[in-house]
Amino acid sequence: MTLSPARAPRAADLRTTGVRRLTATLYGYAFLDDFVLLYPVYALLFSDTGLSLWQVSSLFALWSITGILLEVPSGAWADAVSRRLLLWLGPLLTAVGFALWVIVPSYGAFALGFVLWGVRGALSSGALEALVYDELDRLGAADRYARVIGRAQAAGMIAVMAAIGLAGPVLDLGGYPAVGAASVLVCVLTSALATRFPEHRPTAVGGAARASTLTTLRTGLAEVRRSRSVRGALLLVPAVGAVWGALDEYTPLLARDTGVAQQTVPYLLLLIWAGPTVGSLLTGVGERLGTTGLGVVLAGSALALAGGALTATPAGVALVGVAFGGFQLVNVLVDARLQDRIEGERRATLTSVASMGTELATVAVFAGYALLGAHHAHSTVFAVFAVPYLVTALVLVARRGTSTERP
């Protein structure tokens, strides 16, 4: 009897297997990374610990400032060391911070936790996207990058909604310690899963990576000065993303002011988060909008934000979710607009600059919220912050001559 030699694995089979391993790890990582039960209730924890609105706002600002300071060097770190190392180290830092929050709840512990969280964000900023793209490119599947990243973001949003749904029962059952313990456990699981990421990239030399980053940054900023269209798109990203991104941190306080029981607050937050999830899914339809269309969506969302907040009812909170959905839709579209207008070799640099702009604007919103919130209800403050969106909408609508260009 003649034995047939074992068939060697075909390149297509190896490619399919590699892509499946990468995407399965990525989707699991994205889900666990956002499946944190503390997310919908930590503002309540701060308030119940006795922190003033100024102290709560300063914590959020400290979080953003940490990210701002580390945003630029994080790219060099990702190139100088293993990206997979950064992806599993980061969640462990967050786990330490969350543990401190529930073990020794105090302003100092909360501040240290936010610093660790900010460092964790910087470590993963760019590292995850770079690892995924490079691995897909190695497998000959770089054309799938946008689809894969989009599904990963959807998995993260579903995780947030699941965490919001579970936070109420867990909080009712075991209080903040139970919610904190579950959050620490999820961070540890996220770190463990990150070790499963494939990485076939030789480690770069640290000095060379830093030099390359500085050179690229200078070149990218020169393009911003030279190109009016890039500059406009770059400014539009923080104009859309900063305000509602900052207001999201105060939504638990807004929800509680409607008079519902504390255990009901996470369910109202679930209504709010449904809005951005739907907004992300409508991106394909939204691509047909011109500049004027984006302005109209922003204006409508701003009115929904103000009207929903001022009603101070659960139905009004749902309307705030509708507003957040509109902001998320425009946020994705203006990011695509920026990507369309920059050259590939400077894409990461200018995207990082836009992210820093968003973080800086977010810090300003935190400060403004603390100032206004000291004298007015949360519903009033939310309504006031609808005004910047109305101004941005008016600017966009005024540019009717460019309404046919891709957003």
Side-chain angles (χ1 to χ4, degrees), residues 106-131:
S106 61
Y107 182 82
F110 297 149
L112 180 56
F114 269 121
V115 169
L116 292 174
W117 198 351
V119 174
R120 180 260 186 278
L123 291 178
S124 62
S125 177
L128 179 64
E129 293 82 358
L131 184 149

Side-chain angles (χ1 to χ4, degrees), residues 77-398:
W77 297 341
D79 287 333
V81 301
S82 166
R83 292 163 180 165
R84 180 171 56 198
L85 170 65
L86 301 185
L87 293 177
W88 69 253
L89 178 61
L92 295 181
L93 296 178
T94 311
V96 173
F98 290 161
L100 288 173
W101 285 4
V102 294
I103 294 174
V104 285
S106 61
Y107 182 82
F110 297 149
L112 180 56
F114 269 121
V115 169
L116 292 174
W117 198 351
V119 174
R120 180 260 186 278
L123 291 178
S124 62
S125 177
L128 179 64
E129 293 82 358
L131 184 149
V132 172
Y133 187 90
D134 283 351
E135 288 300 313
L136 287 174
D137 188 43
R138 182 184 65 85
L139 295 166
D143 58 324
R144 302 187 188 183
Y145 174 78
R147 192 184 326 153
V148 167
I149 288 294
R151 291 174 180 174
Q153 292 179 352
M157 289 186 177
I158 292 172
V160 170
M161 297 175 69
I164 290 173
L166 287 175
V170 175
L171 183 64
D172 190 30
L173 181 65
Y176 292 119
V179 174
S183 300
V184 170
L185 176 60
V186 167
C187 289
V188 173
L189 292 176
T190 305
S191 176
L193 185 59
T195 63
R196 296 285 300 163
F197 273 116
E199 186 175 26
H200 297 81
R201 178 188 65 94
T203 302
V205 178
R210 287 190 293 271
S212 176
T213 298
L214 291 174
T215 300
T216 304
L217 179 60
R218 285 195 296 267
T219 304
L221 293 178
E223 182 178 347
V224 173
R225 292 191 296 269
R226 182 174 61 254
S227 173
R228 181 179 178 181
S229 64
V230 171
R231 187 163 59 249
L234 197 66
L235 292 173
L236 192 55
V237 171
V240 174
V243 175
W244 82 272
L247 291 180
D248 176 59
E249 303 300 331
Y250 299 96
T251 51
L253 302 176
L254 177 70
R256 186 162 66 176
D257 277 1
T258 63
V260 300
Q262 181 157 294
Q263 290 75 16
T264 306
V265 169
Y267 298 111
L268 293 182
L269 298 184
L270 189 61
L271 288 177
I272 293 178
W273 265 93
T277 302
V278 173
S280 296
L281 296 176
L282 292 176
T283 302
V285 177
E287 286 181 331
R288 304 171 189 172
L289 297 172
T291 301
T292 300
L294 293 182
V296 171
V297 173
L298 272 184
S301 300
L303 294 175
L305 175 65
L310 289 174
T311 60
T313 64
V317 170
L319 194 56
V320 171
V322 172
F324 279 13
F327 296 146
Q328 168 67 4
L329 171 62
V330 178
N331 203 67
V332 174
L333 294 176
V334 298
D335 178 67
R337 180 180 190 153
L338 174 62
Q339 300 303 325
D340 285 343
R341 294 185 177 188
I342 60 181
E343 299 180 11
E345 63 269 19
R346 303 180 183 96
R347 189 175 308 278
T349 299
L350 295 182
T351 302
S352 294
V353 172
S355 296
M356 283 193 295
T358 301
E359 292 292 342
L360 287 169
T362 298
V363 172
V365 174
F366 287 149
Y369 197 105
L371 181 64
L372 293 172
H375 306 286
H376 302 282
H378 294 289
S379 57
T380 302
V381 181
F382 267 68
V384 169
F385 276 109
V387 174
Y389 284 116
L390 289 174
V391 174
T392 303
L394 289 174
V395 172
L396 290 175
V397 172

Side-chain angles (χ1 to χ4, degrees), residues 14-34:
L14 293 175
R15 169 184 170 178
T16 300
T17 301
V19 171
R20 285 178 178 173
R21 178 192 171 187
L22 173 64
T23 55
T25 305
L26 174 64
Y27 298 156
Y29 182 86
F31 182 89
L32 288 176
D33 196 37
D34 281 321

